[in-house]
Amino acid sequence: NAANTNVSINNIPCEIIAESNRGTFIQISPNLSAGKASLTIQEGGATQTMPIQVITTNLTSNKTVMQKNRQATVTATVSGLENLDLNNNNFKIELTNNSPGVIQFRDANTTTITRDINSSNLKNGVFSFTTQITGVSTGSYTINSAISSTTCTECWKQYENCVAQVEAEEKQCYKDCDKGNEGKTCYLACSAAARLKEAECFAQYLGCMRKKLGF
């Protein structure tokens, strides 16, 4: 129930996009600064606060409108990477050319460019690289950037597997209740045990993230 959920980062409210039985999906404020931050979730009468790391990306170009056969320089900057274990978590940035009819990456035959981010190419918590684009035709263009890390993927998969196991055990518990004709009290006990185990799954997920990111 997203109606009784509030999420904030550094006391800045976040927009609730959607909520499922496994998570809340939010849109963070574009004014949030990069670096260490505190995330607070209020669900009904319960409140949970945890440390997070905010990573921001910024794309700039010396030409926002391209002419055919002309070149421009695009710079991608990633901030908020200080204090993270970049060498063991495979951080990457990917640039995607969403206007292939207008521009193309000069040094790539595809519409995407990927760069690894590690401690050796970081300066004061900031990673930056430049790439050249060439005009295919005259017009404006769009390039998107995205950050990925195996940390998020691995920890989330562990969490999903844990929750799936809890759901299977809960269903089996209900079946056992039916077989024993134990009624509503048995069902409530199954549900209570499952909710407790789900909380343990989430605690393990937070522990995984904190360990990998060095919190």
Side-chain angles (χ1 to χ4, degrees), residues 142-204:
T142 302
I143 298 175
N144 283 347
S145 65
I147 300 292
S148 64
S149 168
T150 56
T151 293
C152 301
T153 303
E154 290 175 0
C155 292
W156 186 255
K157 283 184 177 179
Q158 291 176 21
Y159 171 68
E160 286 193 322
N161 290 337
C162 183
V163 171
Q165 179 63 34
V166 171
E167 290 179 349
E169 292 175 357
E170 184 177 14
K171 289 179 180 179
Q172 184 59 51
C173 186
Y174 289 150
K175 290 180 180 179
D176 292 340
C177 289
D178 292 337
K179 289 179 181 179
N181 197 26
E182 298 181 47
K184 183 178 180 181
T185 301
C186 183
Y187 268 69
L188 291 175
C190 293
S191 179
R195 301 296 78 76
L196 180 61
K197 289 180 179 179
E198 284 179 347
E200 292 174 353
C201 291
F202 188 66
Q204 291 172 7

Side-chain angles (χ1 to χ4, degrees), residues 4-204:
N4 69 349
T5 304
N6 292 291
V7 180
S8 62
I9 301 177
N10 288 352
N11 297 318
I12 300 175
C14 301
E15 178 188 356
I16 306 294
I17 298 174
E19 188 168 271
S20 71
N21 63 332
R22 296 191 182 185
T24 299
F25 302 86
I26 65 171
Q27 176 67 49
I28 69 172
S29 169
N31 298 321
L32 199 62
S33 300
K36 287 189 174 181
S38 177
L39 181 144
T40 299
I41 302 173
Q42 294 176 315
E43 176 75 22
T47 300
Q48 174 73 46
T49 298
M50 64 198 76
I52 63 170
Q53 189 88 0
V54 177
I55 300 174
T56 62
T57 61
N58 185 49
L59 295 178
T60 60
S61 176
N62 61 340
K63 295 178 183 178
T64 56
V65 177
M66 289 295 293
Q67 304 291 326
K68 185 177 181 179
N69 296 326
R70 297 292 181 89
Q71 294 186 350
T73 300
V74 174
T75 301
T77 304
V78 184
S79 304
L81 298 166
E82 61 274 13
N83 304 315
L84 297 182
D85 185 358
L86 300 176
N87 295 327
N88 294 317
N89 293 296
N90 297 324
F91 278 81
K92 298 178 183 295
I93 180 173
E94 182 177 87
L95 302 189
T96 301
N97 174 13
N98 290 332
S99 306
V102 178
I103 63 166
Q104 63 183 17
F105 292 122
R106 193 179 71 177
D107 299 326
N109 295 323
T110 65
T111 57
T112 60
I113 291 180
T114 302
R115 294 288 187 274
D116 292 329
I117 302 174
N118 51 59
S119 57
S120 66
N121 53 28
L122 204 66
K123 185 176 181 180
N124 298 324
V126 177
F127 168 81
S128 181
F129 83 94
T130 60
T131 186
Q132 303 296 315
I133 58 174
T134 301
V136 177
S137 62
T138 300
S140 58
Y141 59 92
T142 302
I143 298 175
N144 283 347
S145 65
I147 300 292
S148 64
S149 168
T150 56
T151 293
C152 301
T153 303
E154 290 175 0
C155 292
W156 186 255
K157 283 184 177 179
Q158 291 176 21
Y159 171 68
E160 286 193 322
N161 290 337
C162 183
V163 171
Q165 179 63 34
V166 171
E167 290 179 349
E169 292 175 357
E170 184 177 14
K171 289 179 180 179
Q172 184 59 51
C173 186
Y174 289 150
K175 290 180 180 179
D176 292 340
C177 289
D178 292 337
K179 289 179 181 179
N181 197 26
E182 298 181 47
K184 183 178 180 181
T185 301
C186 183
Y187 268 69
L188 291 175
C190 293
S191 179
R195 301 296 78 76
L196 180 61
K197 289 180 179 179
E198 284 179 347
E200 292 174 353
C201 291
F202 188 66
Q204 291 172 7

Side-chain angles (χ1 to χ4, degrees), residues 36 51-53 83-84 209-215:
K36 287 189 174 181
I52 63 170
Q53 189 88 0
N83 304 315
L84 297 182
M209 291 293 290
R210 286 172 174 150
K211 181 178 179 180
K212 284 182 173 292
L213 295 178
F215 286 131

